[in-house]
């Protein structure tokens, strides 16, 4: 259906049957290839009558509508009127009487496509992550010029009625101030903001960033514009201030890896929902809750979205924030916690010392997690210590107290600013215990990958010998390989996926206009096939070879033949991904040579080893926010455990239970603290991967999209649920930022 509802009303060439080839090479294209248009005519009864006539002529009774609340409300109205419209068409002699029976029900499933993320019922809408990428790219570029010239920048981002983009980009870049429509600042905000900017500068910071949503208002409903904020800063502080309005830049560009995977998963769920629907099933919308697809009644979501606007119009701002959902509420709380430093006199006095360290290979987003931990820890009244170079540095006494201002500007930095090593603690356990005692460390937060998980297990076992380790210990998963048990997602994996997808896009584009070509690309990940599989799905790969799904020469031969057939008939470029440890004999070179030989006369082959470029670069918006939020949650858990395990009679912390040594991970819909000892049985320690991995269920989808005939596992598909206004506390997943 071309041009949205307009195409449905106009009919004719706007309604075409889609073929396999017609949707090839669309993954990396931004916007909408089939077009979209605001349609006044569809809002009228006559317009919907024309649309119904055109659908019946083409025998269409299933609609998948991708749009915002306006488009979805229109779709539901169309569905409710459907039988009446058909009766009218019969009366007007436009369709046969038997068509009413044949096309008696119109089935509708919605997917939310909106960069504002303003639709209630889903943690993330299609397009939001890509818009955040555009914003963060601009903010990162502006920060370098602002720092050089010692300037204040006021950035205006989209969000006429929803402050999600402004709030999350403020969280992702550590902005000094953010103004959003859902939570207008208290009266007198002008002085408070200027005091904050002045205090930041006095601590030696050379720049200030203020983010304003285009719909920002004060408590009396008066608009707060970016130029008003600029004039205020110039007048009160005399700072050199510039305004940047991002505008439609946020809507354009290539979709991010997250959006490609989200849209692919939602698309499958929408088709499954349409196949299962009956005449009595209410129109549903496919949503994301944590890391799981769910189906919700369309009108429940629309009504709740409209309630948010009503609450804002009636100046019930706290309620508006609550109605936006737990993800939005959590973002706002975290931002307030990290951006606004309490005066020393207002801080609780805990007398606890908490150490933070990175373990394993570097991953983008580690620094955001460390910054969040330090600042939340200070807000909770703890003395925070940073350990350099992992457990190796710990054993050598590379431990120093770290203050609020020391972690300013860390959110957008890649790698590990604390330094990180793969060394496990068992090697230096006595020296580490000595340093723990020397610095009186009462709790430990470890940010890292599989080595961090093994380290925590070793420290737990060392409790029997060393009482120094009888303290609360928590681990945050941070690795590009996403191979840590107990979590669906790890800090750093999204940045690596984006690096892979961007590179694959460029590599495929390099062959445009030349003869047919297949690219064999090797990804990192150790024995974990996450990057190859999910990267393959996001980049439109024809095959992805991984350790978890054994393959032999017959599979390779079948893949080559399948690709050869496709090359002859439809596509010009092929893409094959291989995880670095997928098979010790079928190496990247072997697969490259096999494809080169077998494809002779049809296509030629090239190979690329992506290597450490997957580990570098600035963290993606997702990784910055995921790292920031789970780290804040972990520090609040640490505080709770310190209070619970403090022995007043002995004046010390003593924690030796399983539940005091945990990994904080994303499991389906929830962020959960899991004792590391309980995760041992779920782990393949030889290959350093979890025994069960959720993303393996996505592999058949990649094969189907590559034109293979295979079955798709529907056991995990969503069931129709109801919109929950206040989800239980533990399901405070809000994974998608």
């Amino acid at each position: 259906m071309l041009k949205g509802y307009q195409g449905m009303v106009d009919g004719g060439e706007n309604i075409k049957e889609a073929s396999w080839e017609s949707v090839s090479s669309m993954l990396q294209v931004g916007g909408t290839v089939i077009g979209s248009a605001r349609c006044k005519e569809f809002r009228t009864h006559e317009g919907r009558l024309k649309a119904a006539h055109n659908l019946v002529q083409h025998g269409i009774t299933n609609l998948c509508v991708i749009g915002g609340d306006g488009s979805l409300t229109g779709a539901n109205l169309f569905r409710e009127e459907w039988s009446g419209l058909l009766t009218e068409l019969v009366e007007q002699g436009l369709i046969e009487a038997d068509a009413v029976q044949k096309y008696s029900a119109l089935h509708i499933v919605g997917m939310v496509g909106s960069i504002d993320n303003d639709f209630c019922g889903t943690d993330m809408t299609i397009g939001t992550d890509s818009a955040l990428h555009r914003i963060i790219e601009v903010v990162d570029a502006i920060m370098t010029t602002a720092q050089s010239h010692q300037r204040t920048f006021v950035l205006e981002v989209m969000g006429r009625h929803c402050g999600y983009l402004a709030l999350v980009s403020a969280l992702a870049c550590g902005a000094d101030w953010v103004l959003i429509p859902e939570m207008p600042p208290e009266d007198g905000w002008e002085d408070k903001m200027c005091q904050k900017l002045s205090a930041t500068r006095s601590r030696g910071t050379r720049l200030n960033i203020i983010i304003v949503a285009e719909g920002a208002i004060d408590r009396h409903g008066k608009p707060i514009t970016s130029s008003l904020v600029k004039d205020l800063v110039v007048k009160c502080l005399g700072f050199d201030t510039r305004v940047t309005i991002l505008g439609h830049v946020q809507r354009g560009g290539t979709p991010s890896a997250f959006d490609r995977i989200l849209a692919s998963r939602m698309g499958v769920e929408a088709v499954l929902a349409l196949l299962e629907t009956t005449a009595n099933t209410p129109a549903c919308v496919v949503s994301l809750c944590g890391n799981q697809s769910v189906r919700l009644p369309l009108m429940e979501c629309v009504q709740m979205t409209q309630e948010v606007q009503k609450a804002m119009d009636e100046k019930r701002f706290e309620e508006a924030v609550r109605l936006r959902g737990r993800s939005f509420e959590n973002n706002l709380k975290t931002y307030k916690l990290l951006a606004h430093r309490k005066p020393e006199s207002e801080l609780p006095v805990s007398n606890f010392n908490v150490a933070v360290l990175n373990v394993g290979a570097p991953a983008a987003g580690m620094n955001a997690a460390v910054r969040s931990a330090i600042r939340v820890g200070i807000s909770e009244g703890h003395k925070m210590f940073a350990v350099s170079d992992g457990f190796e540095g710990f054993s050598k006494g590379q431990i120093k107290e770290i203050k609020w201002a020391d972690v300013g500007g860390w959110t957008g930095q890649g790698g590990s600013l604390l330094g990180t090593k793969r060394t496990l603690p068992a090697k230096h356990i006595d020296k580490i215990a000595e340093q723990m005692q020397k610095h009186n460390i009462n709790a430990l937060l470890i940010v890292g990958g599989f080595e961090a998980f093994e380290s925590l297990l070793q420290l737990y076992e060392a409790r029997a010998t060393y009482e120094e380790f009888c303290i609360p210990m928590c681990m945050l998963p941070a690795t590009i390989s996403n191979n840590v048990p107990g979590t669906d997602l790890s800090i750093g994996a999204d940045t690596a996926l984006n690096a892979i997808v961007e590179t694959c896009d460029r590599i495929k584009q390099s062959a445009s206009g030349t003869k047919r070509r297949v690219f064999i690309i090797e990804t990192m990940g150790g024995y974990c096939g996450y990057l190859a599989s999910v990267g393959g799905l996001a980049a439109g790969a024809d095959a992805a070879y991984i350790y978890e799904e054994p393959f032999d020469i017959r599979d390779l031969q079948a893949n080559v033949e399948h690709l050869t057939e496709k090359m002859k008939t439809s596509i010009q470029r092929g893409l094959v991904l291989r995880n670095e440890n997928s098979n010790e004999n079928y190496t990247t070179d072997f697969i490259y040579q096999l494809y080169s030989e077998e494809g002779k006369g049809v296509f030629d082959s090239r190979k690329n080893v992506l290597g450490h470029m997957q580990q570098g670069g600035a963290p993606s918006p997702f990784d910055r926010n995921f790292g920031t939020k789970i780290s804040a949650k972990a520090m609040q858990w640490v505080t709770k455990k310190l209070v619970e395990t403090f022995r007043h009679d002995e004046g010390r912390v003593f924690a030796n239970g399983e539940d005091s040594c945990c990994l904080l991970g994303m499991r389906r819909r929830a962020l959960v603290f899991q004792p590391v000892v309980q995760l041992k049985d779920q782990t393949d320690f030889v290959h350093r991967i979890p025994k069960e991995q959720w993303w393996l269920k996505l592999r058949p989808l990649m094969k189907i999209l590559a034109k293979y005939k295979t079955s798709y596992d529907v056991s995990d598909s969503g069931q129709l649920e109801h919109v929950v206004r206040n989800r239980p506390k533990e399901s405070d997943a809000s994974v998608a930022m």
Side-chain angles (χ1 to χ4, degrees):
M1 193 92 62
L2 304 179
K3 296 192 291 188
Y5 288 141
Q6 191 66 58
M8 199 156 72
V9 171
D10 295 344
E13 284 296 299
N14 292 307
I15 302 175
K16 295 179 180 177
E17 187 175 346
S19 66
W20 194 273
E21 288 72 29
S22 67
V23 293
S24 291
S25 305
M26 275 171 60
L27 258 178
Q28 66 272 27
V29 182
T32 164
V33 172
I34 60 172
S36 177
R38 296 190 192 279
C39 180
K40 286 182 181 175
E41 209 174 342
F42 190 73
R43 293 179 186 176
T44 66
H45 184 76
E46 293 72 25
R48 292 192 290 276
L49 192 65
K50 283 185 194 174
H53 184 218
N54 288 324
L55 291 190
V56 169
Q57 281 185 318
H58 289 84
I60 296 169
T61 55
N62 292 296
L63 276 186
C64 179
V65 181
I66 308 167
D69 61 335
S71 307
L72 297 175
T73 307
N76 192 63
L77 176 62
F78 189 42
R79 175 181 173 274
E80 286 171 354
E81 290 182 349
W82 181 253
S83 58
L85 293 170
L86 294 196
T87 307
E88 274 188 64
L89 290 170
V90 171
E91 287 167 1
Q92 291 177 18
L94 293 170
I95 61 171
E96 298 296 325
D98 62 346
V100 176
Q101 189 60 39
K102 191 177 177 184
Y103 306 115
S104 60
L106 178 68
H107 305 302
I108 283 176
V109 172
M111 285 196 281
V112 195
S114 162
I115 67 162
D116 293 329
N117 201 27
D118 58 353
F119 194 78
C120 293
T122 184
D123 284 347
M124 201 68 161
T125 57
I126 297 164
T128 305
D129 188 65
S130 300
L132 284 169
H133 271 260
R134 301 295 91 80
I135 295 167
I136 294 305
E137 283 161 16
V138 171
V139 172
D140 285 353
I142 276 175
M143 281 176 109
T144 53
T145 181
Q147 202 142 18
S148 307
H149 295 281
Q150 205 162 348
R151 280 183 179 146
T152 296
F153 268 88
V154 182
L155 267 87
E156 185 182 299
V157 301
M158 281 183 163
R160 219 180 5 236
H161 304 294
C162 179
Y164 184 87
L165 289 178
L167 179 57
V168 174
S169 46
L171 202 54
C173 70
D176 296 283
W177 204 267
V178 65
L179 294 155
I180 59 172
E182 289 88 345
M183 186 50 76
E186 299 287 345
D187 290 345
W189 64 273
E190 298 92 341
D191 291 339
K192 284 180 187 168
M193 183 183 76
C194 291
Q195 283 166 15
K196 167 89 189 328
L197 300 180
S198 183
T200 308
R201 284 286 177 97
S202 67
R203 288 197 292 270
T205 306
R206 291 179 57 84
L207 80 157
N208 300 112
I209 299 284
I210 301 163
I211 296 185
V212 184
E214 63 177 324
I217 51 171
D218 66 14
R219 288 268 153 179
H220 310 288
K222 189 182 162 198
I224 300 175
T225 62
S226 46
S227 54
L228 184 141
V229 175
K230 177 204 164 179
D231 294 343
L232 189 68
V233 175
V234 171
K235 184 183 167 189
C236 295
L237 300 170
F239 290 171
D240 185 2
T241 308
R242 298 283 192 276
V243 172
T244 299
I245 298 172
L246 269 66
H248 282 76
V249 164
Q250 296 156 86
R251 287 196 188 279
T254 306
S256 66
F258 183 95
D259 268 334
R260 297 184 196 196
I261 294 151
L262 173 67
S264 300
R265 288 173 71 184
M266 296 294 108
V268 172
E269 192 63 46
V271 171
L272 293 175
L274 281 171
L275 291 173
E276 292 166 20
T277 194
T278 65
N280 301 320
T281 313
C284 76
V285 64
V286 177
S287 302
L288 182 76
C289 179
N291 188 34
Q292 197 178 6
S293 302
V294 293
R295 300 176 198 171
L296 299 168
L298 191 150
M299 286 318 291
E300 282 187 26
C301 296
V302 168
Q303 281 156 11
M304 198 158 163
T305 304
Q306 290 166 350
E307 276 183 46
V308 177
Q309 190 56 50
K310 192 181 173 198
M312 285 160 63
D313 292 341
E314 294 172 2
K315 299 185 171 54
R316 292 180 284 117
F317 299 114
E318 281 76 12
E319 193 177 342
V321 169
R322 187 178 56 76
L323 287 167
R324 274 273 179 244
R326 204 169 279 285
S327 171
F328 190 93
E329 209 173 353
N330 195 15
N331 282 321
L332 188 58
K333 281 178 186 167
T334 309
Y335 176 76
K336 285 178 176 176
L337 205 57
L338 298 175
H340 303 295
R341 185 183 183 181
K342 289 178 186 170
E344 296 285 335
S345 57
E346 288 180 30
L347 291 175
V349 181
S350 73
N351 295 321
F352 292 126
N353 295 346
V354 181
V356 182
L357 71 158
N358 293 336
V359 177
M366 273 183 164
N367 298 321
V370 170
R371 168 187 176 266
S372 177
I374 301 296
R375 290 196 168 178
V376 173
I378 290 169
S379 296
E380 305 265 313
H382 309 317
K383 196 179 272 191
M384 300 301 295
F385 289 84
V387 181
S388 301
D389 298 335
F391 284 108
E392 202 172 296
F394 212 140
S395 67
K396 294 174 184 171
Q398 292 172 274
I399 305 163
K400 62 172 187 179
E401 189 181 347
I402 190 160
K403 300 284 190 184
W404 184 280
D406 297 337
V407 290
W410 279 34
T411 316
Q413 305 254 21
S416 164
L417 292 170
L418 285 184
T420 181
K421 291 274 174 75
R422 292 181 184 271
T423 314
L424 298 180
K427 194 176 173 185
H428 310 289
I429 202 78
D430 50 343
K431 287 182 179 172
I432 293 167
E434 198 179 297
Q435 292 295 336
M436 296 275 282
Q437 191 176 24
K438 182 181 171 185
H439 292 89
N440 188 27
I441 301 298
N442 307 120
L444 209 54
L445 182 69
I446 303 170
V447 183
F450 201 86
E451 290 88 356
F453 173 63
E454 290 181 299
S455 299
L456 213 49
L457 282 170
Q458 290 182 1
L459 294 180
Y460 178 79
E461 280 154 19
R463 281 176 168 180
T465 318
Y466 300 93
E467 278 199 357
E468 287 82 358
F469 300 119
C470 293
I471 58 170
M473 295 186 279
C474 185
M475 176 202 158
L476 302 178
T479 165
I480 67 162
S481 305
N482 198 28
N483 64 333
V484 178
T487 188
D488 290 355
L489 301 163
S490 304
I491 299 164
D494 183 71
T495 305
L497 275 179
N498 277 291
I500 291 166
V501 168
E502 283 168 27
T503 309
C504 288
D505 285 351
R506 289 184 184 190
I507 286 171
K508 279 163 75 178
Q509 198 177 35
S510 72
S512 61
T514 65
K515 61 180 181 175
R516 296 184 178 98
R517 185 165 285 171
V518 172
F519 295 96
I520 317 296
I521 293 172
E522 184 186 294
T523 67
M524 289 171 97
Y527 284 95
C528 180
Y530 176 81
L531 290 179
S533 297
V534 182
L537 177 61
D542 296 279
Y545 300 115
I546 61 169
Y547 166 78
E548 291 92 341
E549 205 172 89
F551 57 96
D552 57 23
I553 194 70
R554 287 178 294 278
D555 297 314
L556 290 169
Q557 184 61 33
N559 292 153
V560 174
E561 287 169 4
H562 180 80
L563 199 49
T564 306
E565 205 53 45
K566 273 172 72 180
M567 284 284 191
K568 285 177 181 173
T569 56
S570 55
I571 63 167
Q572 294 287 314
R573 291 156 287 177
L575 186 67
V576 174
L577 270 63
R578 177 188 174 273
N579 166 250
E580 58 185 346
N581 289 345
S582 55
N583 189 298
E584 60 182 333
N585 296 315
Y586 300 134
T587 61
T588 305
D589 279 331
F590 177 90
I591 292 172
Y592 161 66
Q593 286 162 4
L594 176 75
Y595 274 78
S596 297
E597 184 61 34
E598 297 296 319
K600 270 184 182 170
V602 181
F603 60 80
D604 64 358
S605 301
R606 296 285 186 274
K607 69 166 180 171
N608 284 77
V609 177
L610 299 185
H612 282 76
M613 64 158 291
Q614 295 159 86
Q615 230 169 29
S620 67
F622 182 94
D623 279 331
R624 297 182 193 201
N625 290 307
F626 188 50
T628 298
K629 292 207 296 191
I630 67 167
S631 187
K633 194 174 178 75
M635 276 310 302
Q636 286 163 342
W637 176 88
V638 164
T639 301
K640 183 167 156 270
K641 286 290 171 194
L642 283 168
V643 172
E644 284 174 10
T645 59
F646 183 70
R647 294 183 170 179
H648 290 275
D649 51 337
E650 297 174 33
R652 67 176 182 134
V653 171
F654 187 84
N656 65 349
E658 285 183 3
D659 66 342
S660 63
C661 183
C662 286
L663 177 147
L664 174 56
M666 160 64 58
R667 296 306 280 270
R668 291 169 74 85
R669 299 191 189 191
L671 279 174
V672 282
F673 290 94
Q674 302 143 99
V676 287
V677 181
Q678 293 176 17
L679 294 172
K680 277 172 85 170
D681 294 340
Q682 300 173 26
T683 310
D684 173 354
F685 283 95
V686 176
H687 299 100
R688 297 157 58 87
I689 53 174
K691 288 177 182 173
E692 285 187 19
Q693 302 185 83
W694 69 273
W695 51 264
L696 286 168
K697 288 185 176 178
L698 295 179
R699 282 185 61 81
L701 172 57
M702 186 184 73
K703 290 175 183 173
I704 291 166
L705 296 176
K707 217 173 180 177
Y708 284 91
K709 286 184 171 63
T710 185
S711 59
Y712 186 76
D713 180 6
V714 297
S715 63
D716 206 29
S717 67
Q719 298 302 311
L720 192 65
E721 301 177 17
H722 289 282
V723 178
V724 181
R725 286 171 184 271
N726 276 317
R727 287 185 188 145
K729 266 276 192 259
E730 70 275 6
S731 73
D732 184 7
S734 47
V735 56
M737 303 174 293

